[in-house]
Amino acid sequence: MPLAGMIDLGAECNRLLKELEASEADIARREARLTNQEFVIKAPEHVVQRERDALEAAGLHFSGMSPDGLLPEIVERVDHPWFIGVQYHPELKIATVRAAPVVCEFH
């Protein structure tokens, strides 16, 4: 079915760009909250969990938490083959002969 003239492509692109910008701003705001130790410590547990759940729904996965379970230490994108964010340095703990898998993927 031809769609010519049925959709204003420029307007649709602008709408989608605004939606993307709003989503990215929301993700950045939630990430800032969850990396703020004051927020994580003082906020009720259900509020912190709601923020984590929203980020996971947006495609982030908290695969490692601090020893006390409060702060994310490892965050991965579920829709990307090797996106990973860490607050520690795994490359400093690798053997020179047998590197960690996450480091090997970057070669």
Side-chain angles (χ1 to χ4, degrees):
M1 179 167 99
L3 297 177
M6 297 181 75
I7 297 174
D8 181 344
L9 293 179
E12 184 64 9
C13 284
N14 287 336
R15 185 190 68 77
L16 290 172
L17 279 174
K18 285 180 184 178
E19 187 176 316
L20 178 62
E21 289 171 357
S23 294
E24 288 174 341
D26 183 53
I27 288 170
R29 181 181 53 78
R30 292 174 190 276
E31 286 175 335
R33 281 184 181 170
L34 290 174
T35 57
N36 179 338
Q37 194 168 10
E38 288 286 316
F39 170 79
V40 173
I41 290 171
K42 291 181 179 179
E45 188 175 327
H46 73 277
V47 172
V48 173
Q49 191 59 51
R50 182 185 66 214
E51 296 296 314
R52 287 184 180 147
D53 291 346
L55 286 177
E56 291 213 9
L60 296 178
H61 174 67
F62 300 100
S63 53
M65 301 298 287
S66 61
D68 59 9
L70 294 176
L71 298 172
E73 294 283 339
I74 306 170
V75 178
E76 299 176 70
R77 289 282 312 237
V78 296
D79 62 347
H80 197 282
W82 51 264
F83 177 94
I84 184 170
V86 298
Q87 293 196 105
Y88 66 93
H89 295 275
E91 73 277 10
L92 299 178
K93 299 205 177 229
I94 61 173
T96 55
V97 179
R98 199 177 68 246
V102 68
V103 176
C104 289
E105 290 297 318
F106 288 102
H107 293 287

